[in-house]
Amino acid sequence: MSNLKALTVPKWGMSMEEGEITEWRVDVGDEVAVGDEVVDIETSKIINTAESTCNGTLVRIVAQPGEIHRVAMLLGVVAQGEVTDAEIDAFVANFEPDAAALVPSLVSGDDSKPQVPHAVSTEKAAPPTIAVPPVVEKSEKALSDGPDDTAVNASSVARRIAKAHNINLHNVNPTGRNGRVSKWDVEKAAGISVRAPVKRAVETSQKVVSSLDDSRIAATPVARRLAKKLALNLNDIVPTGRRNRVTKDDVENAARLLSGASDFNVQKVSRMRKAIAARLSEAKQTIPHYRVNVEIDIDSLLAQRKYMNGELGHRISVNDFVIKACASALKRVPEVNVQFAGDTVRAFERADISVAVALDGGLVTPVIRNACTKSLLQISEESRDLAHRAHSGALAIDELQGGTFSVSNLGMFGVDQFDAIINAPQAAILAVGAGKEKAVARDGKLASATMMTLSLSCDHRVIDGALAANFLQSVKGFLENPASMLV
């Protein structure tokens, strides 16, 4: 059976242990080559696409959409030559995953390491800076022109998308392994996003009744008798009584909901949402949060932005100025660029800014590396590229790990002010509100100014109030005098 090869769950990132199969991109009988995209797998962070590690014909799909499989477990079987069903059955039955890949990682949470320590840590190293190629828009005719592209090194998915949109692969800049044109390369060249919807089970709740044993659920005798009479399981009822007991009122409320008096749907929680819930719950419970707020006048910033976008043709956002200001402030007040690690404090030399990006199913925080060394234009281009690929599901795991400070901006949604939960193991996150025109006092006279509220959430184990205030004043200074961070 040496002509049978296994496709297994890859390991993306040190903390990955399992993933949920969302969609197969190839069918049984399709030819696959090394590097072809074969199946989408959702981890706790993103949906990523596993590539084939061998050449041949896909003869068996083992892992079905909706199933959760651990790293190194069998996804499918590829044949190189003629095989029988009996040989495939035996291969699947006797398959043994790589034992080393099944060992859970000892690293939890963020896999970042300090670059150059100021305090106790002796770890070095840092992820390389992301090199973002310039975006070159081409006309449809320019993309379709060119010689025969059948010999161009491209994944099967990229080739299918290119054919469907009349794109000649000679006109696509390859960024894949060994100069291979990937799905994302074609999408970027054409300015499109091709993604099949992830199927989620949705069922009405009118008939949802748990089958779990409820004999140990705390409930009053009356509530228990009523639940039995109404064929309700106490596991499905939200308790409101003393000491978390289910009461008669709780049972009656549940009965009304399940009878359709108040219609609702029960949707399967995605792995991303589960991961967000787990990480934020842990951060809120284990990190002693406190907040420091400040209002800033952004009229000078808006004038600078208008000039750069209008006269120079850039596409710089207010958030790009905020990212640059935070990175500059972290260089000026490096004591905030730290992480609490039990008996040690990790102090970072580089300002790697995690930027919250809202998605339909949750949010992700891609990282802009070494932001303090980059111009506003570089930050703008990189943040837009990361946001675009976040929405199209094309981010790599290492682009989501290793940040040292976070920025969350809800100002574009009209939110005046909010408090953010720290993105552990980081020690601080800046919440950015909307700019609002307000009346202010200037030189004893009433004037109008565009004011924006910043709220800094800090880990009190490593950042004290005076230090947080100092950092926030530094951010305020850079944003109110934007020219000071352009030099």
Side-chain angles (χ1 to χ4, degrees):
M1 287 186 286
S2 59
N3 55 343
L4 289 175
K5 305 295 181 183
L7 297 178
T8 60
V9 179
K11 188 176 181 67
W12 294 307
M14 290 295 293
S15 61
M16 178 183 170
E17 295 182 7
E18 62 184 17
E20 179 178 344
I21 312 305
T22 59
E23 180 189 16
W24 279 88
R25 293 175 173 264
V26 292
D27 296 320
V28 171
D30 285 354
E31 295 291 323
V32 296
V34 174
D36 280 354
E37 298 171 328
V38 292
V39 60
D40 289 345
I41 302 175
E42 182 178 358
T43 69
S44 62
K45 294 179 180 288
I46 57 174
I47 296 178
N48 220 330
T49 303
E51 298 179 348
S52 176
T53 53
C54 56
N55 302 321
T57 304
L58 183 67
V59 293
R60 179 73 56 85
I61 290 178
V62 177
Q64 300 299 322
E67 296 178 351
I68 296 174
H69 291 266
R70 292 181 64 80
V71 168
M73 299 304 286
L74 188 63
L75 290 170
V77 182
V78 172
Q80 298 172 336
E82 295 294 327
V83 293
T84 64
D85 286 342
E87 288 177 312
I88 300 171
D89 290 340
F91 181 85
V92 173
N94 296 322
F95 174 77
E96 293 185 3
D98 180 8
L102 293 176
V103 178
S105 170
L106 296 180
V107 179
S108 62
D110 196 314
D111 299 324
S112 63
K113 293 184 179 180
Q115 289 83 30
V116 179
H118 291 297
V120 184
S121 175
T122 57
E123 297 175 86
K124 300 179 181 177
T129 300
I130 301 173
V132 181
V135 178
V136 180
E137 296 183 0
K138 299 182 181 179
S139 66
E140 292 184 9
K141 186 176 186 305
L143 285 173
S144 61
D145 287 346
D148 179 53
D149 62 359
T150 54
V152 174
N153 185 15
S155 71
S156 58
V157 176
R159 196 173 293 280
R160 282 201 295 270
I161 296 174
K163 184 177 180 181
H165 291 82
N166 194 27
I167 298 170
N168 188 301
L169 292 172
H170 285 291
N171 299 320
V172 180
N173 180 39
T175 63
R177 221 176 323 172
N178 299 320
R180 190 182 187 84
V181 176
S182 69
K183 168 181 175 285
W184 182 75
D185 296 331
V186 178
E187 290 177 331
K188 185 171 184 180
I192 59 176
S193 178
V194 180
R195 184 155 192 84
V198 179
K199 298 177 178 64
R200 298 281 182 207
V202 179
E203 50 189 337
T204 62
S205 62
Q206 295 182 0
K207 300 296 182 183
V208 176
V209 178
S210 174
S211 59
L212 297 174
D213 177 28
D214 63 357
S215 61
R216 297 190 175 216
I217 298 296
T220 66
V222 175
R224 192 174 295 279
R225 286 196 300 269
L226 183 59
K228 186 175 182 180
K229 179 181 177 181
L230 297 175
L232 297 178
N233 190 300
L234 294 174
N235 285 291
D236 301 328
I237 300 174
V238 178
T240 63
R242 277 184 4 181
R243 297 184 180 176
N244 217 31
R245 295 217 309 176
V246 176
T247 67
K248 175 175 175 287
D249 287 343
D250 297 333
V251 177
E252 290 175 342
N253 288 335
R256 278 194 292 271
L257 289 173
L258 292 172
S259 69
S262 177
D263 295 333
F264 63 93
N265 287 333
V266 176
Q267 298 184 1
K268 183 179 179 182
V269 178
S270 69
R271 293 186 61 78
M272 177 184 290
R273 178 52 61 189
K274 287 180 180 178
I276 291 171
R279 286 179 67 95
L280 293 185
S281 295
E282 181 181 8
K284 195 69 170 67
Q285 293 168 7
T286 61
I287 297 176
H289 284 64
Y290 73 97
R291 280 91 184 176
V292 181
N293 304 322
V294 69
E295 270 198 322
I296 63 171
D297 181 340
I298 59 170
D299 280 331
S300 294
L301 182 154
L302 294 176
Q304 181 71 42
R305 175 174 177 257
K306 182 178 180 180
Y307 169 76
M308 297 180 75
N309 290 349
E311 297 296 325
L312 304 181
H314 299 327
R315 296 171 58 189
I316 297 172
S317 69
V318 171
N319 205 51
D320 297 329
F321 279 92
V322 173
I323 293 169
K324 178 65 175 177
C326 288
S328 301
L330 287 172
K331 292 297 289 184
R332 180 173 291 181
V333 191
E335 296 86 355
V336 173
N337 202 24
V338 297
Q339 293 176 3
F340 179 79
D343 294 334
T344 61
V345 175
R346 296 172 178 172
F348 295 86
E349 169 96 355
R350 225 169 59 177
D352 292 341
I353 308 296
S354 300
V355 183
V357 177
L359 306 178
D360 289 340
L363 62 87
V364 292
T365 51
V367 182
I368 296 180
R369 311 283 179 191
N370 215 4
C372 55
T373 67
K374 295 178 178 176
S375 67
L376 270 171
L377 179 58
Q378 288 175 308
I379 290 173
S380 172
E381 291 175 343
E382 192 167 322
S383 61
R384 279 189 286 109
D385 173 72
L386 290 170
H388 169 75
R389 290 191 289 116
H391 285 284
S392 62
L395 286 176
I397 289 290
D398 61 0
E399 292 176 305
L400 297 167
Q401 297 175 336
T404 64
F405 182 91
S406 289
V407 171
S408 180
N409 190 339
L410 293 180
M412 65 281 291
F413 300 107
V415 174
D416 293 342
Q417 179 182 351
F418 69 103
D419 294 328
I421 298 176
I422 294 170
N423 182 18
Q426 297 173 17
I429 180 171
L430 186 72
V432 183
K436 298 283 187 179
E437 189 173 6
K438 294 183 179 181
V440 297
R442 284 181 177 164
D443 299 325
K445 296 180 180 180
L446 197 63
S448 175
T450 307
M451 305 299 292
M452 183 170 72
T453 300
L454 304 180
S455 177
L456 182 69
S457 298
C458 300
D459 183 344
H460 216 323
R461 295 173 298 183
V462 285
I463 301 175
D464 293 326
L467 179 60
N470 186 21
F471 173 80
L472 205 52
Q473 285 301 316
S474 181
V475 174
K476 174 182 171 74
F478 283 121
L479 291 177
E480 290 189 335
N481 300 280
S484 63
M485 59 181 174
L486 301 181
V487 293

